Amino acid sequence: GLIAMLLMTKALDLPAGGAPAKCTNRFQAAAALWKDPVVYGEVAVLIGKGPLVVVGAISFAGIGSCFFLLSCCEGWHWWLLVLYTFQGSGRAIYESTNKGIFADLFPNDSVGAFSNCMLQSSLAFALCFFLSDVLKGPVLAAIALSLALATPLGYFVAIQRRSTLERRPLAENAA
């Protein structure tokens, strides 16, 4: 929404009216192609979910990095498509791989796991909505960048914890 409304129309010198919305909707549709399971589904089968979590985090970190390292987004023109690519890639991994990870971590309670996943997502969206009036560009970019960098760490801690919990009953039975 914000990029489409404020940046794309200005950066691409699009006329006022419906043309900017049509143009940016096409960009969003192109970025949504990343959600196709063929793109990341086959990769997950080959290399596992962990590396894809890192790819998703890098994708989201790329957005914040563009803001800080490249003075996003004045004069970018068509290079703004890079932001849409990062967003599409990161969101595709969130929408598919993340849900698979929740299912893997909570195999005996998938309903509770997906409820927890939805609760976290809804709370994050609500928080972003309510804080978007108060927090502006650099602060939002720093938060997004920090969370993107923390994501792989959180994933690997959860995997290690799950592995430890699974080994504990085996050790108790052996004793």
Side-chain angles (χ1 to χ4, degrees):
L2 178 66
I3 289 176
M5 184 176 65
L6 298 178
L7 300 175
M8 294 298 284
T9 55
K10 184 178 174 185
L12 301 178
D13 295 324
L14 297 172
K22 289 178 188 172
C23 185
T24 54
N25 285 341
R26 288 187 184 111
F27 295 146
Q28 290 169 341
L33 289 175
W34 284 103
K35 287 186 179 180
D36 186 343
V38 173
V39 175
Y40 285 129
E42 298 294 325
V43 174
V45 169
L46 293 173
I47 65 172
K49 294 179 186 101
L52 284 182
V53 169
V54 173
V55 170
I58 289 169
S59 296
F60 285 130
I63 297 170
S65 297
C66 285
F67 187 88
F68 290 116
L69 300 176
L70 303 174
S71 302
C72 183
C73 300
E74 291 293 321
W76 275 39
H77 303 288
W78 290 99
W79 284 102
L80 284 173
L81 293 176
V82 170
L83 297 177
Y84 281 90
T85 302
F86 282 146
Q87 178 67 23
S89 175
R91 186 140 183 238
I93 290 172
Y94 170 77
E95 294 289 340
S96 59
T97 307
N98 187 52
K99 291 176 183 173
I101 290 168
F102 267 82
D104 291 348
L105 289 175
F106 303 99
N108 300 327
D109 190 13
S110 61
V111 173
F114 287 113
S115 297
N116 191 4
C117 184
M118 188 55 109
L119 175 69
Q120 291 176 21
S121 177
S122 298
L123 287 174
F125 284 127
L127 189 63
C128 286
F129 176 78
F130 291 119
L131 291 177
S132 65
D133 256 357
V134 179
L135 305 176
K136 298 300 177 199
V139 175
L140 291 174
I143 291 170
L145 188 57
S146 299
L147 292 173
L149 296 175
T151 297
L153 177 64
Y155 169 74
F156 291 115
V157 167
I159 294 299
Q160 286 300 106
R161 178 144 169 76
R162 179 69 180 184
S163 177
T164 301
L165 291 174
E166 287 175 345
R167 284 193 306 264
R168 185 174 291 157
L170 295 175
E172 290 172 0
N173 289 341

